[in-house]
Amino acid sequence: METVKGILEGQKEYFYSGNTLDISNRKSALIKLKNEIKKNESNIFEALKEDLNKSEFESFATEIAMVYEEIKDAIKNIDKWSKRKKVKTPISQFKATSYIYKEPYGNVLIIAPWNYPVQLVMSPLVGAISAGNTAVIKPSELAPATAKVIENIISNIFKKEYVAVVQGGVEVNKALLDEKFDYIFFTGSIAVGKIVMEAATKHLTPVTLELGGKSPCIVDKSDKIDIFAKRIVWGKLLNSGQTCVAPDYFLIHKDIKEEFLKSVKKYVKEFYGDNPIKSEDYVKIINKRHFQRILSLIDKDNILLGGNYDEAKLKIEPTVVEVKSLDEQIMSEEIFGPIMPIITYSKYEEVIKTIRNFEKPLALYLFTENKVLEKNILENINFGGGCINDTIVHLATTELPFGGVGMSGMGSYHGKRSFDTFTHEKSILKRSNWIDIPLRYPPYLGKISLLRNIFK
Ligand code: NAD
């Protein structure tokens, strides 16, 4: 097997050949990628079923459709995005013109997690290719069937000098991070994000960190509780809660708590039947370790709904628990599973105080019809992004940059922002030669007043 060093050397050479700079090459690479994914849809479905018990519908909606959208958007706009941009030149620089050139970083590394193992490899890759880079992809070893399909797709259409897949765990990750890439795009946990950033400092490599954390969901008093609960249950149980932007904990106005719980129960049943563990549409927990970790977060005395599980199937029933103190285990880490901790509040101030108790979240969801509350929450809480009166879907559009802030990550992508993420903006001032204003040249005696006249 070729070493990571060998692959990267090949990619460096390929990048310097200039092949990736040609816009038509980038477009045809994106078309190839789309066609190959299409050809492999059934293999992807099978692999996602094996790794996560994802249904075809959920696999298509959350893993494939978004990638098709990203590819379509990139192909449509790549000419515009990659064009040099003329900007104004200040009078003090007369006579000159100024441009921003869009330059690929070069050789990028994409490290992906297991929870959306196709989408979280392919979407950043679309950005890397559109911007004219080469890429090394490291899928998660925890979704091995999908990782294999990804490797097949990529190796069927790209030479490894252009896009290569490297498989492996800790040792391979370490070997990758030892190398000098020009950009690292990492999606995963906060803990590993710190390791990646530390490794990147050695080569001063810029990074995007797409991380996670505890994303709150606030439900205000309203006569729309039933539809609120429907959208919440959908977003929380998608991929069995193993979604970076899944609502993690719930701040529910005390007056609507019972009504909310009733609706949650109703929709769990409507979506997944009387016994969700048996539902073909209900995703399993990725492995035993995470299964045990999630179970250990449930305090049996606090269960309001659910609580059952099946160890053989690695499935945990949608479970609602009451939080009596923020010191409880369930509030100590990102849940990443189908557990809904409920905290009741009576005043807006309590909501703010509770959320500020935690790191800046990746997502925030607010269910309300009250515009003042909406304004207050949006103005007073820092978070990556989110929805008003819905969950999750802010990331399913190429128009909204997606990313975290603070501990939930840095940098963003999707649509044009993906292109920008993998692009260096090279600023160029082009001086005209027909005139050469003498002001800046020594000797300076008597010239400062002229300067002062310009820079008032
Ligand atoms: P993880 O951090 O354990 O692993 C992510 C990737 O990093 C994997 O490819 C893994 O092989 C690699 N890795 C593991 N240890 C490493 C090390 N020491 N050095 C370098 N690389 C290493 O995360 P995970 O369990 O796969 O995914 C779950 C986490 O990812 C959750 O916290 C979730 O919120 C987050 N996530 C974030 C987003 C987002 O877009 N912001 C999306 C999905 C998941």
Side-chain angles (χ1 to χ4, degrees), residues 111-116 120 138-142 168-170 173-174 177 186-193 195-196 209-213 243-245 289-290 334 336 362 402-404 408 413:
I111 302 180
W114 51 263
N115 61 334
Y116 290 91
L120 295 174
K138 217 301 287 178
S140 170
E141 69 279 23
L142 299 190
V170 177
N173 284 319
K174 214 174 146 321
L177 291 177
F186 171 80
T187 308
S189 61
I190 294 173
V192 178
I195 295 173
V196 169
L209 300 178
E210 293 283 342
L211 310 177
T243 303
C244 56
V245 287
R289 181 171 67 82
H290 278 287
E334 181 182 8
F336 226 55
L362 179 60
F402 170 68
S408 57
Y413 72 130

mmCIF file of all heavy atoms in Angstrom, residues 111-116 120 138-142 168-170 173-174 177 186-193 195-196 209-213 243-245 289-290 334 336 362 402-404 408 413, ligand 1:
data_model
loop_
_atom_site.group_PDB
_atom_site.id
_atom_site.type_symbol
_atom_site.label_atom_id
_atom_site.label_comp_id
_atom_site.label_asym_id
_atom_site.label_seq_id
_atom_site.Cartn_x
_atom_site.Cartn_y
_atom_site.Cartn_z
ATOM 1 N N ILE A 111 -11.230 15.080 6.617
ATOM 2 C CA ILE A 111 -11.439 13.987 7.585
ATOM 3 C C ILE A 111 -12.912 13.994 7.985
ATOM 4 O O ILE A 111 -13.450 15.033 8.372
ATOM 5 C CB ILE A 111 -10.561 14.172 8.848
ATOM 6 C CG1 ILE A 111 -9.080 14.241 8.469
ATOM 7 C CG2 ILE A 111 -10.802 13.038 9.841
ATOM 8 C CD1 ILE A 111 -8.138 14.436 9.665
ATOM 9 N N ALA A 112 -13.562 12.836 7.870
ATOM 10 C CA ALA A 112 -15.018 12.783 8.060
ATOM 11 C C ALA A 112 -15.429 11.849 9.194
ATOM 12 O O ALA A 112 -14.716 10.899 9.516
ATOM 13 C CB ALA A 112 -15.676 12.334 6.758
ATOM 14 N N PRO A 113 -16.610 12.103 9.771
ATOM 15 C CA PRO A 113 -17.131 11.233 10.836
ATOM 16 C C PRO A 113 -18.035 10.128 10.260
ATOM 17 O O PRO A 113 -18.204 10.035 9.048
ATOM 18 C CB PRO A 113 -17.938 12.216 11.678
ATOM 19 C CG PRO A 113 -18.494 13.177 10.687
ATOM 20 C CD PRO A 113 -17.504 13.258 9.539
ATOM 21 N N TRP A 114 -18.642 9.353 11.148
ATOM 22 C CA TRP A 114 -19.408 8.186 10.705
ATOM 23 C C TRP A 114 -20.903 8.456 10.581
ATOM 24 O O TRP A 114 -21.633 7.651 10.022
ATOM 25 C CB TRP A 114 -19.212 7.018 11.687
ATOM 26 C CG TRP A 114 -19.470 7.415 13.124
ATOM 27 C CD1 TRP A 114 -18.536 7.778 14.053
ATOM 28 C CD2 TRP A 114 -20.743 7.540 13.792
ATOM 29 N NE1 TRP A 114 -19.138 8.132 15.238
ATOM 30 C CE2 TRP A 114 -20.499 7.982 15.103
ATOM 31 C CE3 TRP A 114 -22.063 7.314 13.393
ATOM 32 C CZ2 TRP A 114 -21.515 8.207 16.035
ATOM 33 C CZ3 TRP A 114 -23.088 7.543 14.325
ATOM 34 C CH2 TRP A 114 -22.802 7.986 15.616
ATOM 35 N N ASN A 115 -21.396 9.570 11.117
ATOM 36 C CA ASN A 115 -22.861 9.676 11.266
ATOM 37 C C ASN A 115 -23.599 9.969 9.954
ATOM 38 O O ASN A 115 -24.694 9.477 9.738
ATOM 39 C CB ASN A 115 -23.240 10.655 12.376
ATOM 40 C CG ASN A 115 -22.767 12.057 12.130
ATOM 41 O OD1 ASN A 115 -21.781 12.276 11.425
ATOM 42 N ND2 ASN A 115 -23.458 13.015 12.690
ATOM 43 N N TYR A 116 -23.000 10.805 9.088
ATOM 44 C CA TYR A 116 -23.497 10.968 7.715
ATOM 45 C C TYR A 116 -22.282 10.708 6.835
ATOM 46 O O TYR A 116 -21.692 11.635 6.270
ATOM 47 C CB TYR A 116 -24.088 12.374 7.508
ATOM 48 C CG TYR A 116 -25.388 12.549 8.271
ATOM 49 C CD1 TYR A 116 -25.389 13.041 9.570
ATOM 50 C CD2 TYR A 116 -26.599 12.177 7.704
ATOM 51 C CE1 TYR A 116 -26.579 13.162 10.290
ATOM 52 C CE2 TYR A 116 -27.788 12.297 8.412
ATOM 53 C CZ TYR A 116 -27.765 12.786 9.700
ATOM 54 O OH TYR A 116 -28.944 12.899 10.394
ATOM 55 N N LEU A 120 -20.849 13.814 4.461
ATOM 56 C CA LEU A 120 -19.803 14.622 5.103
ATOM 57 C C LEU A 120 -18.414 14.401 4.498
ATOM 58 O O LEU A 120 -17.463 15.090 4.850
ATOM 59 C CB LEU A 120 -19.808 14.380 6.616
ATOM 60 C CG LEU A 120 -21.105 14.862 7.280
ATOM 61 C CD1 LEU A 120 -21.158 14.485 8.747
ATOM 62 C CD2 LEU A 120 -21.306 16.369 7.117
ATOM 63 N N LYS A 138 -10.325 11.025 4.263
ATOM 64 C CA LYS A 138 -10.230 9.982 5.290
ATOM 65 C C LYS A 138 -11.630 9.751 5.844
ATOM 66 O O LYS A 138 -12.114 10.482 6.696
ATOM 67 C CB LYS A 138 -9.276 10.466 6.403
ATOM 68 C CG LYS A 138 -8.400 9.395 7.001
ATOM 69 C CD LYS A 138 -9.144 8.241 7.633
ATOM 70 C CE LYS A 138 -9.778 8.670 8.933
ATOM 71 N NZ LYS A 138 -10.556 7.651 9.608
ATOM 72 N N PRO A 139 -12.329 8.708 5.329
ATOM 73 C CA PRO A 139 -13.661 8.410 5.878
ATOM 74 C C PRO A 139 -13.521 7.823 7.284
ATOM 75 O O PRO A 139 -12.426 7.424 7.683
ATOM 76 C CB PRO A 139 -14.216 7.354 4.919
ATOM 77 C CG PRO A 139 -13.234 7.212 3.804
ATOM 78 C CD PRO A 139 -11.929 7.746 4.292
ATOM 79 N N SER A 140 -14.638 7.749 7.985
ATOM 80 C CA SER A 140 -14.571 7.201 9.341
ATOM 81 C C SER A 140 -14.477 5.677 9.305
ATOM 82 O O SER A 140 -15.220 5.016 8.587
ATOM 83 C CB SER A 140 -15.808 7.607 10.134
ATOM 84 O OG SER A 140 -15.836 6.890 11.353
ATOM 85 N N GLU A 141 -13.601 5.160 10.140
ATOM 86 C CA GLU A 141 -13.444 3.707 10.252
ATOM 87 C C GLU A 141 -14.639 3.079 10.967
ATOM 88 O O GLU A 141 -14.815 1.866 10.965
ATOM 89 C CB GLU A 141 -12.129 3.366 10.958
ATOM 90 C CG GLU A 141 -12.041 3.718 12.448
ATOM 91 C CD GLU A 141 -11.703 5.189 12.741
ATOM 92 O OE1 GLU A 141 -11.947 6.051 11.862
ATOM 93 O OE2 GLU A 141 -11.230 5.458 13.858
ATOM 94 N N LEU A 142 -15.492 3.906 11.576
ATOM 95 C CA LEU A 142 -16.632 3.359 12.311
ATOM 96 C C LEU A 142 -17.837 3.065 11.413
ATOM 97 O O LEU A 142 -18.820 2.492 11.860
ATOM 98 C CB LEU A 142 -17.052 4.307 13.446
ATOM 99 C CG LEU A 142 -15.990 4.570 14.523
ATOM 100 C CD1 LEU A 142 -16.585 5.318 15.696
ATOM 101 C CD2 LEU A 142 -15.369 3.261 15.019
ATOM 102 N N GLY A 168 -8.494 4.032 7.554
ATOM 103 C CA GLY A 168 -7.759 3.651 8.751
ATOM 104 C C GLY A 168 -8.223 4.368 9.996
ATOM 105 O O GLY A 168 -9.103 5.220 9.958
ATOM 106 N N GLY A 169 -7.575 3.986 11.099
ATOM 107 C CA GLY A 169 -7.933 4.554 12.402
ATOM 108 C C GLY A 169 -6.863 5.505 12.904
ATOM 109 O O GLY A 169 -6.263 6.263 12.131
ATOM 110 N N VAL A 170 -6.607 5.392 14.197
ATOM 111 C CA VAL A 170 -5.736 6.356 14.876
ATOM 112 C C VAL A 170 -4.376 6.535 14.199
ATOM 113 O O VAL A 170 -3.936 7.666 13.972
ATOM 114 C CB VAL A 170 -5.537 5.913 16.352
ATOM 115 C CG1 VAL A 170 -4.574 6.846 17.081
ATOM 116 C CG2 VAL A 170 -6.876 5.901 17.064
ATOM 117 N N ASN A 173 -4.683 8.358 10.918
ATOM 118 C CA ASN A 173 -4.990 9.772 11.183
ATOM 119 C C ASN A 173 -3.741 10.529 11.575
ATOM 120 O O ASN A 173 -3.494 11.650 11.143
ATOM 121 C CB ASN A 173 -6.012 9.891 12.320
ATOM 122 C CG ASN A 173 -7.411 9.541 11.859
ATOM 123 O OD1 ASN A 173 -7.818 9.916 10.773
ATOM 124 N ND2 ASN A 173 -8.132 8.794 12.662
ATOM 125 N N LYS A 174 -2.944 9.887 12.400
ATOM 126 C CA LYS A 174 -1.724 10.528 12.887
ATOM 127 C C LYS A 174 -0.760 10.774 11.720
ATOM 128 O O LYS A 174 -0.199 11.868 11.579
ATOM 129 C CB LYS A 174 -1.071 9.614 13.944
ATOM 130 C CG LYS A 174 -0.382 10.401 15.019
ATOM 131 C CD LYS A 174 0.122 9.475 16.105
ATOM 132 C CE LYS A 174 1.423 9.972 16.709
ATOM 133 N NZ LYS A 174 2.399 10.556 15.870
ATOM 134 N N LEU A 177 -1.971 13.647 9.681
ATOM 135 C CA LEU A 177 -1.787 14.963 10.311
ATOM 136 C C LEU A 177 -0.326 15.364 10.428
ATOM 137 O O LEU A 177 -0.012 16.537 10.625
ATOM 138 C CB LEU A 177 -2.469 14.986 11.686
ATOM 139 C CG LEU A 177 -3.997 14.938 11.647
ATOM 140 C CD1 LEU A 177 -4.569 14.895 13.056
ATOM 141 C CD2 LEU A 177 -4.578 16.133 10.897
ATOM 142 N N PHE A 186 -11.987 19.353 8.754
ATOM 143 C CA PHE A 186 -12.289 18.272 9.696
ATOM 144 C C PHE A 186 -13.728 18.352 10.171
ATOM 145 O O PHE A 186 -14.194 19.409 10.596
ATOM 146 C CB PHE A 186 -11.350 18.365 10.914
ATOM 147 C CG PHE A 186 -11.739 17.413 12.020
ATOM 148 C CD1 PHE A 186 -11.395 16.069 11.949
ATOM 149 C CD2 PHE A 186 -12.473 17.857 13.119
ATOM 150 C CE1 PHE A 186 -11.779 15.178 12.957
ATOM 151 C CE2 PHE A 186 -12.862 16.973 14.131
ATOM 152 C CZ PHE A 186 -12.509 15.640 14.048
ATOM 153 N N THR A 187 -14.423 17.227 10.124
ATOM 154 C CA THR A 187 -15.747 17.132 10.745
ATOM 155 C C THR A 187 -15.693 16.023 11.785
ATOM 156 O O THR A 187 -15.295 14.897 11.470
ATOM 157 C CB THR A 187 -16.841 16.788 9.714
ATOM 158 O OG1 THR A 187 -16.749 17.699 8.629
ATOM 159 C CG2 THR A 187 -18.222 16.884 10.315
ATOM 160 N N GLY A 188 -16.085 16.344 13.005
ATOM 161 C CA GLY A 188 -16.058 15.323 14.056
ATOM 162 C C GLY A 188 -16.241 15.940 15.429
ATOM 163 O O GLY A 188 -16.835 17.013 15.561
ATOM 164 N N SER A 189 -15.696 15.263 16.422
ATOM 165 C CA SER A 189 -15.935 15.681 17.800
ATOM 166 C C SER A 189 -15.032 16.847 18.207
ATOM 167 O O SER A 189 -13.988 17.088 17.595
ATOM 168 C CB SER A 189 -15.683 14.496 18.731
ATOM 169 O OG SER A 189 -14.339 14.086 18.586
ATOM 170 N N ILE A 190 -15.427 17.512 19.267
ATOM 171 C CA ILE A 190 -14.636 18.634 19.787
ATOM 172 C C ILE A 190 -13.254 18.114 20.218
ATOM 173 O O ILE A 190 -12.227 18.740 19.920
ATOM 174 C CB ILE A 190 -15.366 19.307 20.975
ATOM 175 C CG1 ILE A 190 -16.652 19.966 20.474
ATOM 176 C CG2 ILE A 190 -14.468 20.324 21.673
ATOM 177 C CD1 ILE A 190 -17.556 20.521 21.565
ATOM 178 N N ALA A 191 -13.239 16.960 20.881
ATOM 179 C CA ALA A 191 -11.963 16.427 21.394
ATOM 180 C C ALA A 191 -10.972 16.202 20.255
ATOM 181 O O ALA A 191 -9.808 16.637 20.339
ATOM 182 C CB ALA A 191 -12.218 15.119 22.147
ATOM 183 N N VAL A 192 -11.424 15.561 19.185
ATOM 184 C CA VAL A 192 -10.504 15.300 18.064
ATOM 185 C C VAL A 192 -10.222 16.599 17.299
ATOM 186 O O VAL A 192 -9.114 16.805 16.800
ATOM 187 C CB VAL A 192 -11.028 14.170 17.149
ATOM 188 C CG1 VAL A 192 -10.083 13.943 15.978
ATOM 189 C CG2 VAL A 192 -11.206 12.872 17.933
ATOM 190 N N GLY A 193 -11.200 17.488 17.260
ATOM 191 C CA GLY A 193 -10.985 18.795 16.631
ATOM 192 C C GLY A 193 -9.784 19.505 17.234
ATOM 193 O O GLY A 193 -8.976 20.123 16.523
ATOM 194 N N ILE A 195 -7.222 18.055 18.637
ATOM 195 C CA ILE A 195 -6.009 17.333 18.200
ATOM 196 C C ILE A 195 -5.633 17.788 16.789
ATOM 197 O O ILE A 195 -4.468 18.044 16.486
ATOM 198 C CB ILE A 195 -6.256 15.799 18.228
ATOM 199 C CG1 ILE A 195 -6.484 15.336 19.664
ATOM 200 C CG2 ILE A 195 -5.100 15.044 17.574
ATOM 201 C CD1 ILE A 195 -6.906 13.881 19.800
ATOM 202 N N VAL A 196 -6.647 17.900 15.936
ATOM 203 C CA VAL A 196 -6.406 18.298 14.541
ATOM 204 C C VAL A 196 -5.814 19.708 14.495
ATOM 205 O O VAL A 196 -4.828 19.971 13.802
ATOM 206 C CB VAL A 196 -7.717 18.228 13.719
ATOM 207 C CG1 VAL A 196 -7.570 18.884 12.357
ATOM 208 C CG2 VAL A 196 -8.165 16.776 13.569
ATOM 209 N N LEU A 209 -13.099 23.539 11.177
ATOM 210 C CA LEU A 209 -13.493 22.518 12.139
ATOM 211 C C LEU A 209 -15.013 22.517 12.250
ATOM 212 O O LEU A 209 -15.610 23.509 12.686
ATOM 213 C CB LEU A 209 -12.875 22.802 13.516
ATOM 214 C CG LEU A 209 -11.348 22.851 13.600
ATOM 215 C CD1 LEU A 209 -10.901 23.196 15.012
ATOM 216 C CD2 LEU A 209 -10.722 21.519 13.168
ATOM 217 N N GLU A 210 -15.609 21.444 11.793
ATOM 218 C CA GLU A 210 -17.067 21.288 11.891
ATOM 219 C C GLU A 210 -17.317 20.345 13.055
ATOM 220 O O GLU A 210 -17.183 19.128 12.927
ATOM 221 C CB GLU A 210 -17.625 20.700 10.582
ATOM 222 C CG GLU A 210 -17.504 21.623 9.381
ATOM 223 C CD GLU A 210 -18.543 22.741 9.369
ATOM 224 O OE1 GLU A 210 -19.566 22.626 10.077
ATOM 225 O OE2 GLU A 210 -18.334 23.730 8.656
ATOM 226 N N LEU A 211 -17.670 20.906 14.218
ATOM 227 C CA LEU A 211 -17.741 20.089 15.435
ATOM 228 C C LEU A 211 -19.190 19.950 15.924
ATOM 229 O O LEU A 211 -20.118 20.122 15.144
ATOM 230 C CB LEU A 211 -16.846 20.718 16.503
ATOM 231 C CG LEU A 211 -15.415 21.054 16.024
ATOM 232 C CD1 LEU A 211 -14.621 21.741 17.117
ATOM 233 C CD2 LEU A 211 -14.679 19.805 15.528
ATOM 234 N N GLY A 212 -19.350 19.632 17.166
ATOM 235 C CA GLY A 212 -20.714 19.393 17.672
ATOM 236 C C GLY A 212 -20.957 20.134 18.970
ATOM 237 O O GLY A 212 -20.525 21.272 19.132
ATOM 238 N N GLY A 213 -21.633 19.491 19.897
ATOM 239 C CA GLY A 213 -21.931 20.116 21.185
ATOM 240 C C GLY A 213 -23.392 19.955 21.532
ATOM 241 O O GLY A 213 -24.109 19.174 20.902
ATOM 242 N N THR A 243 -26.963 13.144 14.942
ATOM 243 C CA THR A 243 -26.830 14.240 13.981
ATOM 244 C C THR A 243 -26.167 15.395 14.720
ATOM 245 O O THR A 243 -26.586 15.733 15.831
ATOM 246 C CB THR A 243 -28.232 14.662 13.472
ATOM 247 O OG1 THR A 243 -28.879 13.522 12.912
ATOM 248 C CG2 THR A 243 -28.159 15.769 12.445
ATOM 249 N N CYS A 244 -25.140 15.992 14.083
ATOM 250 C CA CYS A 244 -24.417 17.071 14.778
ATOM 251 C C CYS A 244 -25.343 18.202 15.169
ATOM 252 O O CYS A 244 -25.173 18.810 16.223
ATOM 253 C CB CYS A 244 -23.286 17.595 13.905
ATOM 254 S SG CYS A 244 -23.851 18.157 12.291
ATOM 255 N N VAL A 245 -26.349 18.487 14.320
ATOM 256 C CA VAL A 245 -27.265 19.590 14.619
ATOM 257 C C VAL A 245 -28.584 19.111 15.233
ATOM 258 O O VAL A 245 -29.558 19.859 15.279
ATOM 259 C CB VAL A 245 -27.566 20.442 13.362
ATOM 260 C CG1 VAL A 245 -26.391 21.300 12.974
ATOM 261 C CG2 VAL A 245 -28.008 19.565 12.198
ATOM 262 N N ARG A 289 -20.088 0.699 21.956
ATOM 263 C CA ARG A 289 -19.538 1.719 22.860
ATOM 264 C C ARG A 289 -20.496 2.914 22.960
ATOM 265 O O ARG A 289 -20.829 3.372 24.056
ATOM 266 C CB ARG A 289 -18.167 2.182 22.348
ATOM 267 C CG ARG A 289 -17.507 3.214 23.235
ATOM 268 C CD ARG A 289 -16.063 3.480 22.804
ATOM 269 N NE ARG A 289 -15.943 4.134 21.515
ATOM 270 C CZ ARG A 289 -16.066 5.453 21.328
ATOM 271 N NH1 ARG A 289 -16.330 6.251 22.347
ATOM 272 N NH2 ARG A 289 -15.937 5.973 20.124
ATOM 273 N N HIS A 290 -20.967 3.391 21.810
ATOM 274 C CA HIS A 290 -21.893 4.530 21.835
ATOM 275 C C HIS A 290 -23.237 4.129 22.438
ATOM 276 O O HIS A 290 -23.862 4.921 23.151
ATOM 277 C CB HIS A 290 -22.066 5.115 20.430
ATOM 278 C CG HIS A 290 -20.957 6.049 20.056
ATOM 279 N ND1 HIS A 290 -20.836 7.302 20.584
ATOM 280 C CD2 HIS A 290 -19.899 5.894 19.231
ATOM 281 C CE1 HIS A 290 -19.757 7.896 20.097
ATOM 282 N NE2 HIS A 290 -19.168 7.045 19.272
ATOM 283 N N GLU A 334 -22.545 16.012 24.813
ATOM 284 C CA GLU A 334 -23.430 15.902 23.648
ATOM 285 C C GLU A 334 -24.057 14.510 23.666
ATOM 286 O O GLU A 334 -23.343 13.508 23.779
ATOM 287 C CB GLU A 334 -22.582 16.093 22.379
ATOM 288 C CG GLU A 334 -23.354 16.025 21.096
ATOM 289 C CD GLU A 334 -22.440 16.170 19.857
ATOM 290 O OE1 GLU A 334 -21.206 16.171 20.004
ATOM 291 O OE2 GLU A 334 -22.976 16.278 18.749
ATOM 292 N N PHE A 336 -26.039 12.789 21.290
ATOM 293 C CA PHE A 336 -25.820 12.049 20.043
ATOM 294 C C PHE A 336 -26.582 10.725 20.040
ATOM 295 O O PHE A 336 -26.064 9.665 19.683
ATOM 296 C CB PHE A 336 -24.320 11.808 19.839
ATOM 297 C CG PHE A 336 -23.873 12.121 18.429
ATOM 298 C CD1 PHE A 336 -24.121 13.348 17.866
ATOM 299 C CD2 PHE A 336 -23.200 11.173 17.662
ATOM 300 C CE1 PHE A 336 -23.725 13.640 16.571
ATOM 301 C CE2 PHE A 336 -22.800 11.454 16.359
ATOM 302 C CZ PHE A 336 -23.067 12.695 15.820
ATOM 303 N N LEU A 362 -23.653 24.561 18.267
ATOM 304 C CA LEU A 362 -23.615 24.494 16.799
ATOM 305 C C LEU A 362 -24.959 24.966 16.231
ATOM 306 O O LEU A 362 -25.016 25.660 15.232
ATOM 307 C CB LEU A 362 -23.333 23.049 16.364
ATOM 308 C CG LEU A 362 -23.281 22.771 14.869
ATOM 309 C CD1 LEU A 362 -22.199 23.587 14.190
ATOM 310 C CD2 LEU A 362 -23.050 21.283 14.602
ATOM 311 N N PHE A 402 -22.887 26.935 6.503
ATOM 312 C CA PHE A 402 -23.119 26.084 7.670
ATOM 313 C C PHE A 402 -21.826 25.884 8.450
ATOM 314 O O PHE A 402 -20.803 25.483 7.883
ATOM 315 C CB PHE A 402 -23.672 24.719 7.208
ATOM 316 C CG PHE A 402 -23.720 23.721 8.316
ATOM 317 C CD1 PHE A 402 -24.608 23.887 9.365
ATOM 318 C CD2 PHE A 402 -22.857 22.638 8.345
ATOM 319 C CE1 PHE A 402 -24.637 22.987 10.422
ATOM 320 C CE2 PHE A 402 -22.883 21.727 9.385
ATOM 321 C CZ PHE A 402 -23.770 21.896 10.426
ATOM 322 N N GLY A 403 -21.875 26.158 9.745
ATOM 323 C CA GLY A 403 -20.692 25.942 10.579
ATOM 324 C C GLY A 403 -20.957 26.382 12.001
ATOM 325 O O GLY A 403 -22.013 26.939 12.310
ATOM 326 N N GLY A 404 -19.983 26.141 12.861
ATOM 327 C CA GLY A 404 -20.157 26.463 14.268
ATOM 328 C C GLY A 404 -19.433 27.729 14.671
ATOM 329 O O GLY A 404 -18.851 28.440 13.845
ATOM 330 N N SER A 408 -18.102 24.956 19.050
ATOM 331 C CA SER A 408 -18.814 24.122 18.064
ATOM 332 C C SER A 408 -18.173 24.196 16.680
ATOM 333 O O SER A 408 -18.663 23.585 15.740
ATOM 334 C CB SER A 408 -20.303 24.473 18.014
ATOM 335 O OG SER A 408 -20.511 25.828 17.723
ATOM 336 N N TYR A 413 -19.271 26.054 5.396
ATOM 337 C CA TYR A 413 -19.311 25.605 4.008
ATOM 338 C C TYR A 413 -20.743 25.465 3.533
ATOM 339 O O TYR A 413 -21.655 25.882 4.231
ATOM 340 C CB TYR A 413 -18.481 24.341 3.805
ATOM 341 C CG TYR A 413 -19.020 23.031 4.369
ATOM 342 C CD1 TYR A 413 -19.080 21.903 3.571
ATOM 343 C CD2 TYR A 413 -19.425 22.903 5.690
ATOM 344 C CE1 TYR A 413 -19.515 20.676 4.062
ATOM 345 C CE2 TYR A 413 -19.865 21.690 6.192
ATOM 346 C CZ TYR A 413 -19.909 20.586 5.376
ATOM 347 O OH TYR A 413 -20.342 19.391 5.864
HETATM 348 P P1 NAD B 1 -14.567 11.724 15.876
HETATM 349 O O1 NAD B 1 -14.001 13.050 16.228
HETATM 350 O O2 NAD B 1 -14.366 10.601 16.836
HETATM 351 O O3 NAD B 1 -14.012 11.214 14.473
HETATM 352 C C1 NAD B 1 -14.074 11.998 13.297
HETATM 353 C C2 NAD B 1 -12.945 11.608 12.366
HETATM 354 O O4 NAD B 1 -11.717 11.885 13.021
HETATM 355 C C3 NAD B 1 -12.907 10.131 11.975
HETATM 356 O O5 NAD B 1 -12.540 10.009 10.615
HETATM 357 C C4 NAD B 1 -11.809 9.578 12.853
HETATM 358 O O6 NAD B 1 -11.125 8.495 12.248
HETATM 359 C C5 NAD B 1 -10.879 10.756 12.981
HETATM 360 N N1 NAD B 1 -10.064 10.711 14.197
HETATM 361 C C6 NAD B 1 -10.324 10.054 15.359
HETATM 362 N N2 NAD B 1 -9.317 10.223 16.230
HETATM 363 C C7 NAD B 1 -8.410 11.023 15.610
HETATM 364 C C8 NAD B 1 -7.163 11.559 15.998
HETATM 365 N N3 NAD B 1 -6.623 11.322 17.195
HETATM 366 N N4 NAD B 1 -6.508 12.341 15.111
HETATM 367 C C9 NAD B 1 -7.037 12.616 13.893
HETATM 368 N N5 NAD B 1 -8.217 12.119 13.475
HETATM 369 C C10 NAD B 1 -8.892 11.333 14.319
HETATM 370 O O7 NAD B 1 -16.122 11.993 15.623
HETATM 371 P P2 NAD B 1 -17.235 10.936 15.272
HETATM 372 O O8 NAD B 1 -17.548 10.123 16.482
HETATM 373 O O9 NAD B 1 -16.925 10.235 14.023
HETATM 374 O O10 NAD B 1 -18.472 11.923 14.972
HETATM 375 C C11 NAD B 1 -19.290 12.431 15.967
HETATM 376 C C12 NAD B 1 -18.985 13.867 16.300
HETATM 377 O O11 NAD B 1 -18.883 14.625 15.115
HETATM 378 C C13 NAD B 1 -20.058 14.524 17.116
HETATM 379 O O12 NAD B 1 -19.471 15.328 18.098
HETATM 380 C C14 NAD B 1 -20.807 15.384 16.118
HETATM 381 O O13 NAD B 1 -21.479 16.481 16.664
HETATM 382 C C15 NAD B 1 -19.708 15.789 15.222
HETATM 383 N N6 NAD B 1 -20.218 16.119 13.891
HETATM 384 C C16 NAD B 1 -20.186 17.398 13.478
HETATM 385 C C17 NAD B 1 -20.725 17.732 12.249
HETATM 386 C C18 NAD B 1 -20.729 19.125 11.729
HETATM 387 O O14 NAD B 1 -20.988 19.296 10.543
HETATM 388 N N7 NAD B 1 -20.473 20.132 12.529
HETATM 389 C C19 NAD B 1 -21.259 16.737 11.445
HETATM 390 C C20 NAD B 1 -21.264 15.432 11.912
HETATM 391 C C21 NAD B 1 -20.736 15.131 13.133
#
